[in-house]
Amino acid sequence: MKRRYIHLCAAFLGLFSLIIAVIVGCSSAYRESSARFQADATTLYSPMPGVSTKNPTALDPTMRRVIESQPGEELWIIGRADKQQALAGDEMIPGGGVLAAKVENETKLAPVPLKHTNVAVSIAGYIATVDVTQQYENPYSGKIEAVYVFPLPDNAAVSEFVMTIGERRIRGIIREREEAERIYKEARSQGYVATLLTQERPNIFTQKVANIEPGKKIDVNLRYFHTLGYNDGAFEFVFPMVIGPRFNPAGSGEGVGAVSRDGRGSSGQKTEIQYLRPNERSGHDISLSVAMDAGVPIEKVECASHAIERTPGGEGRMQVKLAAGERIPNKDFVLRYQVAGKTPKSAFFASRDARGGYFTLMILPPRELADAPRQPLEMVFTLDTSGSMDGRPIEQSKAAMRYALTHMNSADSFQIINFSDHPTKFAREPVAATPRNVQAALEHLARMQAEGGTMLVDGLRASLLFPPDSNRLRLVAFLTDGFIGNEDEALRELHNCLGPARVFSFGVGSSPNRFLMNEMARMGRGAAAYVGLNENPEQVMAQFFERVSHPAMTDVRVDWGTLDVREVYPSRVPDLFVGRPVILTGRFNGSADSTITIRGKAAGEEKVVSVPVRIDAAPTSPALPVLWARTKIADLMGRAVWEENRELPQQVKTLAMEYGVVSPYTAFLAVDASERTAGNVGTTVNVPVPAPEGVRYETTVGEGTPQKAVERADRQ
């Protein structure tokens, strides 16, 4: 059987050398054994310095795992240059101009290289496996590089990456980000088809596909895992489809810029997204299907964001897909489903591999919390009134706040703060929740309008930095779309100003910044909720009041019994609220059965939850090792926002490389070095996206830079 070995040696600016060794795996015509394929691979693999190719066990563990488990795919293993050489040189900058179609007056299609995205979801228990396939096609007469900035869930563990060219599948490999970017740039400059996946934020990623020839098609598939949300008896799966236009304070250069389709480079931000004008549409559409296996009968399925089609599949199983008319990717897909019977107090998943045992534990609060009365509260309602909230988002926010204002207890006090370019207070200090004060607050709320920038940091300070009430617990309800590019600055400010308060974040709109909302709630010892454009805002706020009408279970401690556990994340167990569980992910040794005991305080009394665990009988999932790695990375990154950690980059790199996941410091790379494409370096084409449903282009993007849009909003 014929084998093809191709070696690529290319000079880089006369200083560097790059060796791309070619390994053609067992494709449909090559059905050799995995062991034979590995033996061939170790002969050609260019290892790290000091590693002998004669010893297969000395290979990078990630490489060895990929080779052994994927014998039906090609794997082009990229040789490593000297580390100093690999890190030397200029920053990688996309080349060429921008190809775009001029569209004026009426709505027309703007040709883009991303034609279709297909999303296939499989849910087992509370763990989702998601395959995303992006289908690229060059509609132009010249060669191009496609650049697409897109969202994923902030807890997604991206661990597989495959590029498909015709019938050939080329598996991507994980590399340190700087090295992956440099190899990609070199492959692109020499005419080889290559793809690069990087993480810009926990929920924002960039996909680059180099050297797509005219009329050619290239598919890029990525797989990720994540745990589902659980809220008041219902599981929730969310797939974000578009990134909302971000506001960046003056002087910022590390944010996420929002520009018009022909305004590339005008934002001055590290990451930039181009948006289609209101009269424009691209040919990019989306399909999405979800296969649910709940294990028990499914009682109710809801999707407030999209029209869906349901197909029952037997006991506890159901197939859901987007309806035919729901193909424009301009809002988050949110699916909620309830299962029959009483929800168990907890759920425990376990898995083992050569590195040891991994688990996830879902802890639900004790039922007795629902019977305990709450103490008087100091309610601080903080409303984002920046330009991105104009229209339906601020209407939904006002409706939610009207419900909140009219459902406080007489012993409560309250304050209202709204912020855009600067914060404004309803009263000089919190006032009693009397009918007269509530009526004045409703009139104040009615006068609010959305305009200006999103100075979230100032809004946080105004909501937290005033003297506390010793007789009341301060709760801050933050209503915003979260469209900012300086998330780290905002979270750092929240940590520094929090004090005894609790923060409950409400993400408003069709595509809120869920990473920011979830992190604010986690850091603020509260919970996150979401108010979609088509959801009942009063119902969402009613659930919030149900949650805060009972004491939380605080100071939560876990006694693992005879279970030998380590490296459990999050490192600090969050508080438990009625209807909201906590998910812990960790590692364990041994196989002894155990009883896990969770203790905490609520209303001055100790509460206890017991969880019997049978390791061998526990449901399992191959996703657990990468979910654990992703959770540990998130914990490290979260702490680094407010706590200096000079070892952070290396800690994350080591962890991400071992478990093969994308992180801020690692990236997926795939190169097809079988042949060069014709012509010079292709023109870079950024994939423009629609503004999220309900978000007004004129007040968030405008023509030119986002700052001009803000200035226009200020003059209104």
Side-chain angles (χ1 to χ4, degrees), residues 108-349:
K108 294 182 180 179
L109 288 180
V112 296
L114 179 60
K115 306 303 293 183
H116 180 70
T117 297
N118 180 68
V119 183
V121 185
S122 176
I123 297 175
Y126 59 92
I127 297 176
T129 302
V130 185
D131 283 288
V132 180
T133 302
Q134 299 167 353
Q135 300 174 1
Y136 294 89
E137 182 178 351
N138 184 354
Y140 304 107
S141 58
K143 191 168 61 173
I144 65 170
E145 174 196 37
V147 179
Y148 178 39
V149 183
F150 63 98
L152 288 178
D154 59 275
N155 65 342
V158 182
S159 61
E160 292 190 37
F161 184 80
V162 176
M163 174 174 65
T164 302
I165 305 173
E167 297 297 320
R168 298 169 53 230
R169 290 168 56 82
I170 302 171
R171 177 159 290 270
I173 56 177
I174 201 80
R175 282 285 192 249
E176 292 186 7
R177 178 165 176 162
E178 298 92 337
E179 182 185 16
E181 289 177 333
R182 204 157 304 285
I183 293 171
Y184 172 84
K185 181 180 179 182
E186 179 70 5
R188 184 191 65 185
S189 68
Q190 296 191 31
Y192 293 96
V193 175
T195 59
L196 178 71
L197 178 69
T198 56
Q199 177 183 313
E200 317 306 335
R201 295 285 194 279
N203 59 340
I204 298 179
F205 295 76
T206 298
Q207 179 68 67
K208 295 182 179 181
V209 186
N211 293 312
I212 309 176
E213 295 179 292
K216 294 296 180 65
K217 299 178 181 179
I218 296 174
D219 289 354
V220 177
N221 175 267
L222 59 92
R223 170 175 287 186
Y224 68 85
F225 306 99
H226 72 106
T227 53
L228 300 186
Y230 183 86
N231 183 13
D232 297 316
F235 289 98
E236 181 178 270
F237 170 78
V238 178
F239 182 79
M241 294 189 181
V242 68
I243 302 167
R246 302 293 200 256
F247 173 85
N248 303 284
S252 170
E254 297 294 315
V256 180
V259 299
S260 60
R261 187 166 56 83
D262 53 2
R264 176 183 165 201
S266 60
S267 71
Q269 302 302 319
K270 183 177 180 180
T271 303
E272 192 171 77
I273 304 171
Q274 295 178 358
Y275 289 90
L276 296 163
R277 296 180 179 86
N279 66 330
E280 294 176 338
R281 252 217 67 191
S282 74
H284 175 220
D285 63 6
I286 192 167
S287 58
L288 184 149
S289 62
V290 182
M292 294 180 288
D293 185 357
V296 295
I298 298 173
E299 263 188 0
K300 186 179 182 181
V301 175
E302 295 179 307
C303 184
S305 60
H306 293 76
I308 58 174
E309 298 175 1
R310 303 172 176 85
T311 304
E315 185 76 5
R317 297 182 178 181
M318 182 174 290
Q319 186 85 20
V320 172
K321 67 177 182 178
L322 286 177
E326 297 278 11
R327 302 185 68 83
I328 300 176
N330 65 344
K331 54 187 173 181
D332 291 353
F333 175 82
V334 182
L335 181 72
R336 299 187 182 99
Y337 65 95
Q338 291 179 312
V339 296
K342 293 183 178 179
T343 303
K345 290 184 178 180
S346 66
F348 185 88
F349 276 68

Side-chain angles (χ1 to χ4, degrees), residues 423-499:
T424 301
K425 296 181 179 180
F426 163 65
R428 297 181 64 180
E429 58 186 20
V431 297
T434 64
R436 180 177 179 179
N437 287 337
V438 168
Q439 182 58 39
L442 291 172
E443 295 171 2
H444 174 76
L445 179 66
R447 292 191 293 269
M448 292 183 187
Q449 296 182 354
E451 59 183 9
T454 313
M455 301 302 290
L456 179 61
V457 172
D458 293 341
L460 283 165
R461 291 193 189 108
S463 303
L464 296 167
L465 289 182
F466 58 92
D469 185 337
S470 60
N471 297 317
R472 295 178 175 87
L473 175 64
R474 179 176 298 171
L475 296 186
V476 180
F478 230 99
L479 294 92
T480 176
D481 53 24
F483 288 169
I484 62 169
N486 60 326
E487 291 104 323
D488 281 2
E489 182 184 0
L491 293 171
R492 189 178 305 114
E493 195 69 24
L494 173 58
H495 174 269
N496 294 337
C497 300
L498 182 61

Side-chain angles (χ1 to χ4, degrees), residues 375-441:
Q375 68 182 89
L377 301 176
E378 180 184 72
M379 305 288 296
V380 181
F381 301 104
T382 305
L383 176 60
D384 179 355
T385 52
S386 65
S388 63
M389 294 284 288
D390 192 21
R392 185 68 174 160
I394 198 169
E395 292 174 6
Q396 289 287 83
S397 299
K398 286 183 175 183
M401 285 185 60
R402 283 194 294 268
Y403 180 93
L405 288 168
T406 55
H407 284 77
M408 290 181 292
N409 290 349
S410 58
D412 295 338
S413 64
F414 73 96
Q415 173 69 285
I416 298 176
I417 294 170
N418 65 290
F419 69 93
S420 53
D421 291 326
H422 53 81
T424 301
K425 296 181 179 180
F426 163 65
R428 297 181 64 180
E429 58 186 20
V431 297
T434 64
R436 180 177 179 179
N437 287 337
V438 168
Q439 182 58 39

